[in-house]
Amino acid sequence: MKKISLLPLLVLTAINLPAFAQKTVSDSLVKDLSCNKITANEIYRRMSQQQFSREFHIPITNWGVEARGGLYELGVCWSLSRAQRLFFYLNRWNSPSTVQGPQTLQVLNMLRGDATYPMLLNQESYLRTDLGLLGNLMDGVSIRKGDSNTHRNFRSEIEKYELERFHKLGKNLKYLIGSGSRSKKNNRETKDQLVGNLQINKLTMLIVRANRMAQHVVLVKRFQRMNNGDINFIVYDSNHPGEDNILTFRQSDSKFYSPGIVYGVVPAKDLNDPLGVYVVDEKERDPIEATLVRYYSSLCSSLNNR
């Protein structure tokens, strides 16, 4: 009699057993993230665009801070865009709040530039300046050093990061080369990088240059392909935090345009002139990814221990 191997049948049966069902985790950022595949790219793919909606924008408009002893004024758009990306990725809505007491200082350190990032568990369903996550950060903390007290809060740390990041001239000098739009080749490369990033929810920071001395930083959240071949990039713009703004890549001439952004930067400029656009701070995503992988790995471990 011919022997029949039972091994394939046993394997098929085992695969269908409930014990072998994949465990997943979901929260306000991700949906059905498999515990068998906790990687940065998989976390990106499982993110919900709802988390990046304008409802969750920092409700504070870009302001100016004196630089170089009052020599000139510098807007804090770069620091606010960075903070917005951190809040989009690290904040968890409708969770028991942990941004109080010692963790407030940890979050302020993160905004200042410390690469050790905490997860932000927030009981509010949106950012507010009087309650919850942002309220605690606006109140800040007092730190005593020797005989003096230092008070730190959201505004002080946003300003400190902006001043330090802007004045890294070795890194920023290239953004001053030229007076406006970049070459078609550079624009197409930037467009392709943006599309590639946003297809898996890699929010991307941009310098938008109206002219050599008029520049602004925004955070790109998603894109829309238009019927005529143009691409609209939807951005958080700290000059207009209550709404989304739009940066358009025009297919016909391979240039970027944004009357809405330019109006908040250089009111006297022709709003329809092309812009210089630069991707910045891609490596700033590394500590975010490490924090997310660590957080979701911990959640999955807690499921396995139940």
Side-chain angles (χ1 to χ4, degrees):
M1 180 180 291
K2 185 178 180 180
K3 293 184 178 180
I4 300 176
S5 174
L6 295 179
L7 182 58
L9 180 61
L10 291 173
V11 170
L12 287 173
T13 303
I15 289 174
N16 290 314
L17 289 175
F20 282 77
Q22 284 191 358
K23 291 184 176 180
T24 63
V25 292
S26 300
D27 57 22
S28 64
L29 179 66
V30 301
K31 182 178 181 181
D32 297 331
L33 174 65
S34 171
C35 288
N36 292 336
K37 195 173 184 181
I38 305 295
T39 64
N41 279 347
E42 188 61 20
I43 293 170
Y44 283 128
R45 291 188 183 96
R46 292 293 177 176
M47 289 180 182
S48 165
Q49 272 289 321
Q50 179 60 30
Q51 177 85 352
F52 310 138
S53 75
R54 62 186 180 184
E55 298 174 45
F56 305 126
H57 286 181
I58 299 171
I60 300 174
T61 303
N62 179 35
W63 70 91
V65 57
E66 287 189 349
R68 294 292 192 253
L71 182 62
Y72 56 91
E73 188 177 83
L74 183 66
V76 295
C77 57
W78 199 321
S79 191
L80 281 173
S81 293
R82 172 180 175 270
Q84 184 66 73
R85 181 161 65 177
L86 292 172
F87 287 170
F88 275 153
Y89 283 138
L90 301 180
N91 195 48
R92 293 300 173 273
W93 305 108
N94 299 315
S95 300
S97 179
T98 60
V99 186
Q100 52 193 349
Q103 200 195 22
T104 298
L105 180 58
Q106 187 181 9
V107 177
L108 293 175
N109 288 340
M110 174 181 72
L111 296 176
R112 177 176 286 210
D114 190 326
T116 302
Y117 292 173
M119 293 299 300
L120 313 177
L121 303 182
N122 184 16
Q123 63 190 359
E124 296 295 314
S125 59
Y126 54 93
L127 281 170
R128 292 175 57 180
T129 56
D130 56 342
L131 291 172
L133 166 69
L134 192 54
N136 286 327
L137 296 177
M138 293 293 286
D139 290 341
V141 295
S142 292
I143 302 170
R144 187 168 184 81
K145 289 186 177 181
D147 296 329
S148 61
N149 284 327
T150 300
H151 188 77
R152 294 170 55 189
N153 61 15
F154 178 81
R155 287 182 178 271
S156 69
E157 304 314 288
I158 290 293
E159 291 180 1
K160 183 171 180 60
Y161 181 85
E162 181 75 28
L163 291 170
E164 291 185 357
R165 183 63 184 84
F166 183 82
H167 289 121
K168 293 180 179 179
L169 295 181
K171 292 184 177 180
N172 297 340
L173 189 60
K174 60 185 176 182
Y175 307 130
L176 299 176
I177 299 174
S179 59
S181 179
R182 304 174 71 199
S183 71
K184 292 183 179 182
K185 177 177 181 294
N186 285 336
N187 286 338
R188 287 192 293 267
E189 289 174 351
T190 298
K191 177 262 296 180
D192 291 341
Q193 183 177 0
L194 284 172
V195 169
N197 280 357
L198 298 171
Q199 283 176 331
I200 60 168
N201 294 310
K202 288 188 174 182
L203 307 182
T204 305
M205 290 174 58
L206 293 180
I207 285 181
V208 178
R209 182 177 69 190
N211 58 55
R212 186 177 291 111
M213 301 308 295
Q215 304 190 20
H216 186 48
V217 180
V218 298
L219 178 68
V220 192
K221 307 188 296 181
R222 56 189 173 88
F223 69 95
Q224 298 172 330
R225 295 187 185 274
M226 311 306 289
N227 291 336
N228 62 357
D230 293 354
I231 300 177
N232 284 343
F233 293 99
I234 314 304
V235 308
Y236 157 79
D237 178 354
S238 60
N239 284 338
H240 310 281
E243 58 192 60
D244 288 332
N245 220 331
I246 296 176
L247 173 72
T248 299
F249 175 81
R250 190 179 294 171
Q251 180 71 20
S252 61
D253 62 3
S254 295
K255 294 183 179 181
F256 287 95
Y257 298 85
S258 181
I261 293 176
V262 173
Y263 181 76
V265 181
V266 195
K269 181 181 171 63
D270 185 339
L271 301 183
N272 296 309
D273 282 354
L275 302 169
V277 173
Y278 301 83
V279 174
V280 294
D281 289 359
E282 285 290 270
K283 294 299 290 181
E284 281 276 325
R285 220 184 274 108
D286 289 352
I288 298 174
E289 294 175 357
T291 302
L292 291 174
V293 169
R294 184 169 58 250
Y295 175 74
Y296 286 116
S297 295
S298 176
L299 281 184
C300 285
S301 294
S302 68
L303 292 178
N304 292 331
N305 293 331
R306 291 175 184 174

